[in-house]
Amino acid sequence: MNNGKLKIGIYELTGCAGDALLILDCEKELLDIFKAVDIQSFLMASSDNRDGKLDIALVEGSVSTEREIEELKDIRERAEIVIAIGLCATVGGIQARFTDPNEWKKKYKEVYGDIEMTHTKPVQSKPIDAYIKVDYYLPGCPIGKEQFLDLFTRAVKGTLPERYPRPVCVTCKYNENDCLLNKGIPCLGPLTADGCGSICPNHNVPCFGCWGPVEGANLTSEYYLLKEKGFDIESIKKRMANYSGTKLIDFLKQFKKESK
Amino acid sequence: MKIVKLKEANLHSFLEEISKEADLWAPVKAAPDRYKFEFIQDLNKIDTDCTRTILPPRKILLPPSINMFQASEKEYKEDFSHVSKKIIFGIHPCDIHGILIMDDFFSHEFYDPYYMESRKNTLLLGHSCWPDENCLCKSTRTHIIKEGYDLFFSKLKERYIVWIGSSKGDDLIRTKANLFEEDISDKDIKEYAEWCDQREKAFQTEINFDALGDLMELMYNDPLWEELGNACLACGSCSNVCPTCNCYNVADRPALEKKYSDIKRCWDACTLESYSEVAGGENFRKKRADRLKLFYTHKFQAYISKYGKPACVGCGRCVATCPVDINVKTVGKSLDGEKVDAFWKRLSKEVTK
Amino acid sequence: MNSENKANQTENPFLPEPARIVRTCHLTEDVKFFQVRIADMEKALSFRYRIGQFAMISVLGAGEAPFSISSTPSRPGLLEFCIRKTGLVTDALFGLKENDMIGIRGPYGNGFPVEQMKGKDILIIMGGLGAAPLRSVLLYCLDNRDQFGRVILLHGAKRPAEMLLIEEFLSLKEREDLECLLSVDQDDTGKWTENIGVVTTLFPKIKNINPSTTYSMVCGPPVMYKFVLNELLKFNIPKDQILMTLERRMKCGIGKCGHCAIGYLYTCLDGPVFTYWDVIHMRELI
């Protein structure tokens, strides 16, 4: 059953499966999606999954066990193109926020004590590009319908969309919001990948960065700006660390020095 | 010039009449802290006390995203669905100047039908305004407007002096001619003269724009640009709120099933990271300082070289918007050698500490 | 409206003209040659362009990008392009076969100042993919050989396998009215009989340059410019007779999208050909 259609696999590692759910939520387009491609594996949608060669693999979730490392490497070997979808796969997600390996071990012990995991060995959570080469990143928590369909359609046609990283501020301005930072509200819009439609600032709620850090974000400037507005270092750090996974480790370390 | 008078109480009847034939857009108080231009369905929402809207009225002519073509293998079908008959009421002199600059730009050498068709179908009904501390239009000489509008409403006590700037503007007046009075009294003239006089004095900020082009050249390698680059959040807001920013990006959005694609045109901003990135990954302006240099070259220098006037119309939107105080006011003043109090200045002291 | 509308208002300048790929072949591992004909025969013949101009090529669903025209206006009807696989549009182009359709619009840009170059000596220096725009100049000069003085070509590539149109250039060596000097940085074939070394090592072989009557054209990878320009200045060639053609991000080709802006210039309108003086004057060019 191939008919020259592209073979696609959709995989979920550690995460809330929200991105896979969003794909299923594209109700209007779902029939077209299934018609256009040959879905080989999609655990949330099908019980008949195969592990063969793939043209495109969409991977959600972070890597947090040794078994997932193996699974991921296997996906990479089978797939022409690997696309990371969602916050956890692209930056590591909330579960990757304890960035220091020693800190992670400590926290792990606090939660699980000395219980021996027999099923598979847990490892510190990381985004998928910590283990494999990723061809395209689709941020989001969860991913946006529009961006997903755009990416998916273009991937099926053989040309990925143009890379165009931009911060939440771009859409926020299109929505004609008055900048929250100017009112002393600690908004992370300038540091965060766009695509959510700036829903939080639209309701006067500051962006807390759930789509992950945008490429080229000016962390230093935002940090000093928030500091000048009277926020204490620990709270700024927490805010920035919440959704940045492993991507801001170096920057946050530098912070740490300062707070001591 | 033909000038008529309109009682303030009659404004809505007039607007109601003309909005039968075209979409009426006007400033609306969207929240306690902000105004924006909106498509008007309820005339009572129009707020003429507005100093500035968040986005300039160019969004009405060319929205952030339009479709250029519905393209298939057989043909590229032009999509002009963003074009409709429109009237923009309540637009201030600086924004009219902004639109005139866009008119020049989009018809220069090559004619851009996506902007121009929209523009041809739009009438501009200007409205007088009062400056706040961020208005720089007196320095850019765009605080007054002599031509380019169809009608211009100068507000006096309980009445308007209405300047008719075009034949189409005159046609609008004729749709409800009985609302307008022909004779302007000495009292009107005196009140208008006094208003002008007081408004001239109300401007709080002055920048010498004539010198900025040369200063840009002389200070091309000045540490100022590094200071600005260090603070810039690269959020693109200065471009998005600027009445004369025109950059855009184009992307194909193919359909899943057929050999068909929409070709989308979206606003772009030169201060964004990937603005000058070419295929293969080389980025000609990887540094924020270089991107800001391009932005300010265009506002202070480039248009003067090409069109004889700066591309800044002094609307003050970048001043009101930029969270790190990088704006025409602070950059212009710094180039002029004045000391400014701005976050980017304070940051440079902080990081060199 | 108070603006002067000299521009043509009836045609949509963004509308691509359907064109057919007549011939395509690999030049190197990542560079392909495309010979293209505009489907409408009349339009194909009336597509007038100058050497050094470029065209916007589009692939449905993938996008549009600018490419220098590698053919010469002295041979109308067919357009030729040398295209490196570097991005989304080129990826899609590489997937197309002969007889497939693409979109073309143009020609755009200033091109080389042919009128000023007539009667002068022509020194062409190309490196790598720089052969794409400069091949147009070379073929034009050879087709109109009596209109130019000496024609000298320096062509450099990393390895023989990376020299674009290598057979075409090797065959040109036989011409007596062309001084054709080829060089590779390293020869991994053992069969290379021409010069070995970077393109600047060819300069000592050029004799008796008359700087005031020489126009030089340079195109190649960014690292090449500094060294080549240095050599040309040693020859005392005036700065405004040293011409180069540049690459920038472009989304429209007609001075609207803003991406190719350099100061008050637009690469698509005021370039892509700039003089060395422009480069010094504009600072941001290279």
Side-chain angles (χ1 to χ4, degrees):
Chain A
M1 203 196 86
N2 164 317
N3 320 330
K5 288 178 184 173
L6 291 187
K7 290 194 165 102
I8 313 278
I10 300 165
Y11 299 94
E12 300 150 40
L13 305 179
T14 301
C16 69
D19 305 308
L21 189 62
L22 181 123
I23 296 173
L24 277 184
D25 194 39
C26 298
E27 289 177 358
K28 222 175 86 201
E29 298 83 5
L30 208 55
L31 285 177
D32 281 344
I33 292 176
F34 278 87
K35 243 192 272 169
V37 298
D38 175 9
I39 307 256
Q40 291 271 310
S41 177
F42 187 4
L43 200 60
M44 187 176 274
S46 165
S47 51
D48 178 24
N49 294 315
R50 274 159 286 233
D51 293 335
K53 282 267 168 219
L54 293 170
D55 294 293
I56 304 163
L58 301 161
V59 182
E60 168 186 354
S62 69
V63 184
S64 60
T65 65
E66 279 183 349
R67 203 183 67 174
E68 281 178 346
I69 300 175
E70 296 314 310
E71 192 185 344
L72 184 65
K73 283 181 179 162
D74 175 56
I75 293 168
R76 176 72 266 185
E77 239 169 63
R78 291 188 284 124
E80 278 294 308
I81 294 171
V82 173
I83 300 171
I85 57 169
L87 181 83
C88 300
T90 52
V91 309
I94 304 172
Q95 62 271 34
R97 65 164 294 190
F98 301 112
T99 47
D100 186 330
N102 292 325
E103 197 182 340
W104 178 79
K105 273 185 196 143
K106 216 177 86 199
K107 298 266 176 195
Y108 182 80
K109 210 170 168 160
E110 271 174 33
V111 176
Y112 295 101
D114 293 321
I115 299 169
E116 189 79 8
M117 299 283 173
T118 50
H119 185 51
T120 172
K121 202 177 154 225
V123 295
Q124 180 174 9
S125 195
K126 281 182 183 163
I128 65 171
D129 65 1
Y131 298 100
I132 60 158
K133 181 182 158 278
V134 172
D135 299 294
Y136 199 88
Y137 297 85
L138 186 69
C141 189
I143 51 172
K145 219 179 242 189
E146 196 186 330
Q147 290 91 341
F148 166 72
L149 289 171
D150 192 20
L151 167 71
F152 188 76
T153 309
R154 295 207 44 148
V156 168
K157 304 263 167 176
T159 64
L160 293 168
E162 191 175 65
R163 215 181 64 84
Y164 215 84
R166 47 177 69 206
V168 171
C169 306
V170 173
T171 307
C172 191
K173 224 41 353 156
Y174 294 169
N175 289 329
E176 300 199 55
N177 297 319
D178 202 17
C179 183
L180 293 173
L181 284 168
N182 286 340
K183 299 174 184 168
I185 299 170
C187 182
L188 296 189
L191 311 182
T192 307
D194 187 28
C196 60
S198 72
I199 32 179
C200 293
N202 293 353
H203 296 92
N204 273 319
V205 175
C207 169
F208 49 89
C210 72
W211 277 49
V214 65
E215 225 172 284
N218 189 347
L219 300 154
T220 312
S221 180
E222 170 109 6
Y223 164 64
Y224 281 105
L225 185 68
L226 294 179
K227 206 173 137 198
E228 193 187 272
K229 301 218 182 258
F231 296 96
D232 69 276
I233 292 165
E234 275 312 304
S235 81
I236 302 172
K237 190 185 135 190
K238 254 189 192 158
R239 235 163 232 286
M240 287 186 171
N242 263 345
Y243 289 92
S244 61
T246 62
K247 297 293 172 183
L248 303 186
I249 293 181
D250 291 341
F251 181 76
L252 293 168
K253 269 187 191 154
Q254 172 195 322
F255 248 142
K256 217 169 198 175
K257 268 181 237 149
E258 200 165 321
S259 62
K260 270 169 192 168
Chain B
M1 178 172 280
K2 199 173 160 192
I3 306 164
V4 291
K5 222 161 73 179
L6 176 73
K7 286 205 182 76
E8 195 183 3
N10 286 331
L11 179 68
H12 281 190
S13 335
F14 173 63
L15 293 178
E16 193 177 352
E17 182 64 32
I18 60 173
S19 62
K20 285 177 187 162
E21 298 296 318
D23 297 346
L24 180 68
W25 287 71
V28 157
K29 197 167 194 162
D33 56 353
R34 58 182 183 264
Y35 290 93
K36 58 184 189 181
F37 275 101
E38 262 183 19
F39 170 54
I40 300 296
Q41 281 160 313
D42 174 6
L43 292 170
N44 293 314
K45 282 181 80 183
I46 298 176
D47 194 330
T48 52
D49 287 336
C50 156
T51 307
R52 70 175 64 76
T53 52
I54 301 258
L55 288 183
R58 69 179 165 95
K59 68 156 191 184
I60 305 165
L61 299 168
L62 211 52
S65 173
I66 62 163
N67 197 24
M68 297 175 81
F69 295 105
Q70 297 166 335
S72 69
E73 272 201 320
K74 280 201 190 95
E75 66 163 346
Y76 274 58
K77 222 171 111 196
E78 292 168 287
D79 187 345
F80 282 100
S81 49
H82 68 292
V83 175
S84 63
K85 278 210 178 312
K86 293 184 186 99
I87 293 171
I88 309 178
F89 172 73
I91 173 171
H92 295 167
C94 58
D95 280 342
I96 300 176
H97 279 284
I99 288 180
L100 297 182
I101 286 173
M102 301 286 264
D103 292 350
D104 280 341
F105 179 81
F106 282 120
S107 60
H108 179 74
E109 289 194 47
F110 287 89
Y111 180 86
D112 182 338
Y114 294 96
Y115 174 83
M116 293 306 287
E117 288 305 309
S118 193
R119 176 68 179 96
K120 273 189 193 164
N121 282 289
T122 304
L123 298 179
L124 304 180
L125 275 53
H127 193 286
S128 55
C129 54
W130 198 260
D132 69 4
E133 70 282 5
N134 294 335
C135 288
L136 300 162
C137 51
K138 197 179 166 193
S139 304
T140 50
R141 300 189 190 99
T142 50
H143 64 313
I144 41 176
I145 182 95
K146 304 258 181 229
E147 56 174 12
Y149 54 79
D150 297 285
L151 294 175
F152 193 90
F153 291 70
S154 294
K155 178 91 195 309
L156 299 180
K157 200 164 179 282
E158 288 166 0
R159 65 200 188 282
Y160 288 103
I161 289 180
V162 183
W163 311 71
I164 304 175
S166 75
S167 158
K168 280 180 182 163
D170 194 48
D171 293 343
L172 287 183
I173 297 286
R174 282 166 198 275
T175 58
K176 270 276 192 192
N178 59 331
L179 295 176
F180 294 89
E181 294 163 45
E182 294 269 329
D183 31 291
I184 309 288
S185 68
D186 286 350
K187 189 177 160 246
D188 297 331
I189 296 171
K190 193 162 169 270
E191 200 183 321
Y192 181 73
E194 270 169 18
W195 180 86
C196 287
D197 206 40
Q198 281 172 14
R199 182 171 177 261
E200 287 288 314
K201 287 177 195 148
F203 286 94
Q204 301 161 38
T205 316
E206 200 81 59
I207 293 172
N208 179 5
F209 267 82
D210 294 338
L212 290 181
D214 287 348
L215 288 169
M216 283 289 301
E217 281 290 346
L218 288 165
M219 295 170 73
Y220 191 82
N221 294 316
D222 195 273
L224 164 74
W225 296 106
E226 284 307 315
E227 290 178 13
L228 292 165
N230 286 339
C232 175
L233 294 169
C235 69
S237 293
C238 48
S239 302
N240 286 330
V241 302
C242 181
T244 64
C245 269
N246 46 57
C247 289
Y248 67 83
N249 206 12
V250 179
D252 281 36
R253 286 216 56 186
L256 201 49
E257 277 289 354
K258 297 161 287 180
K259 283 214 163 180
Y260 168 89
S261 184
D262 280 340
I263 296 171
K264 296 266 181 207
R265 167 169 169 172
C266 314
W267 288 6
D268 200 356
C270 63
T271 40
L272 295 173
E273 161 106 350
S274 318
Y275 178 79
S276 298
E277 190 177 290
V278 294
E282 187 174 357
N283 191 335
F284 291 96
R285 293 185 191 93
K286 187 85 185 150
K287 283 173 65 187
R288 288 185 294 269
D290 290 342
R291 302 202 293 274
L292 287 169
K293 258 184 215 176
L294 177 73
F295 181 87
Y296 283 99
T297 301
H298 270 226
K299 298 305 155 194
F300 292 155
Q301 189 184 17
Y303 271 66
I304 306 181
S305 313
K306 225 161 187 166
Y307 302 99
K309 55 188 177 190
C312 175
V313 294
C315 71
R317 286 190 178 88
C318 55
V319 188
T321 299
C322 179
V324 293
D325 303 330
I326 301 173
N327 54 52
V328 169
K329 191 158 129 185
T330 61
V331 176
K333 285 194 173 205
S334 297
L335 287 169
D336 271 334
E338 277 182 56
K339 278 215 159 63
V340 295
D341 179 32
F343 172 76
W344 57 267
K345 268 276 167 205
R346 298 193 291 274
L347 177 72
S348 90
K349 280 191 201 116
E350 186 84 40
V351 288
T352 51
K353 212 163 52 181
Chain C
M1 214 160 299
N2 74 340
S3 57
E4 291 171 60
N5 290 333
K6 277 172 272 172
N8 186 341
Q9 298 187 17
T10 53
E11 275 172 34
N12 185 337
F14 300 103
L15 190 68
E17 197 57 55
R20 191 173 298 284
I21 298 174
V22 178
R23 196 162 78 80
T24 173
C25 60
H26 270 281
L27 294 179
T28 71
E29 207 178 305
D30 60 348
V31 180
K32 258 180 129 173
F33 178 77
F34 289 87
Q35 199 175 46
V36 170
R37 190 200 298 279
I38 292 176
D40 182 327
M41 206 48 196
E42 211 167 290
K43 282 182 179 152
L45 290 170
S46 63
F47 190 96
R48 298 262 156 75
Y49 62 98
R50 295 189 296 278
I51 51 174
Q53 283 193 295
F54 67 93
M56 298 295 288
I57 294 184
S58 50
V59 181
L60 185 69
E64 196 178 34
F67 296 97
S68 352
I69 304 173
S70 299
S71 48
T72 161
S74 47
R75 302 174 199 174
L78 288 167
L79 294 168
E80 291 167 352
F81 300 89
C82 302
I83 295 172
R84 173 179 285 156
K85 190 173 172 167
T86 47
L88 303 168
V89 179
T90 52
D91 279 357
L93 272 170
F94 270 53
L96 297 180
K97 304 175 297 295
E98 283 164 14
N99 264 326
D100 282 343
M101 298 297 285
I102 56 171
I104 281 202
R105 55 189 183 91
Y108 299 127
N110 55 357
F112 289 102
V114 185
E115 288 312 311
Q116 291 167 38
M117 286 155 55
K118 279 187 179 158
K120 304 288 187 338
D121 297 335
I122 304 297
L123 171 57
I124 300 168
I125 301 141
M126 49 172 92
L129 196 60
L134 295 186
R135 174 180 180 254
S136 178
V137 181
L138 179 70
L139 296 182
Y140 183 86
C141 291
L142 295 177
D143 282 357
N144 300 281
R145 192 61 193 88
D146 55 328
Q147 291 178 13
F148 299 93
R150 287 168 75 182
V151 178
I152 310 163
L153 167 70
L154 312 187
H155 185 182
K158 275 189 196 139
R159 298 174 295 123
E162 284 179 38
M163 182 169 278
L164 301 188
L165 298 153
I166 187 163
E167 281 106 34
E168 188 174 305
F169 287 111
L170 282 170
S171 70
L172 286 174
K173 282 206 70 90
E174 286 158 23
R175 280 183 78 133
E176 280 178 7
D177 56 358
L178 168 73
E179 296 161 59
C180 176
L181 302 167
L182 308 179
S183 186
V184 291
D185 296 358
Q186 5 167 264
D187 173 31
D188 50 1
T189 61
K191 291 177 190 158
W192 184 254
T193 54
E194 305 295 320
N195 186 63
I196 295 180
V198 291
V199 76
T200 43
T201 58
L202 293 171
F203 277 88
K205 301 185 187 218
I206 319 170
K207 298 285 181 264
N208 307 321
I209 284 283
N210 182 348
S212 63
T213 61
T214 300
Y215 267 82
S216 177
M217 272 131 274
V218 189
C219 189
V223 287
M224 196 186 90
Y225 284 98
K226 200 178 135 198
F227 300 105
V228 167
L229 289 171
N230 224 344
E231 295 293 330
L232 292 173
L233 292 177
K234 274 194 232 156
F235 277 144
N236 283 322
I237 297 176
K239 289 191 281 289
D240 53 5
Q241 288 174 206
I242 300 173
L243 305 160
M244 41 195 111
T245 162
L246 303 182
E247 177 203 18
R248 280 293 182 277
R249 180 189 180 96
M250 286 180 197
K251 285 286 174 179
C252 73
I254 56 173
K256 307 297 178 203
C257 82
H259 289 93
C260 69
I262 298 165
Y264 57 86
L265 301 179
Y266 287 98
T267 311
C268 66
L269 295 178
D270 308 293
V273 174
F274 291 99
T275 68
Y276 184 46
W277 165 244
D278 292 330
V279 169
I280 297 170
H281 181 60
M282 295 306 299
R283 298 195 255 216
E284 231 196 332
L285 281 175
I286 55 174

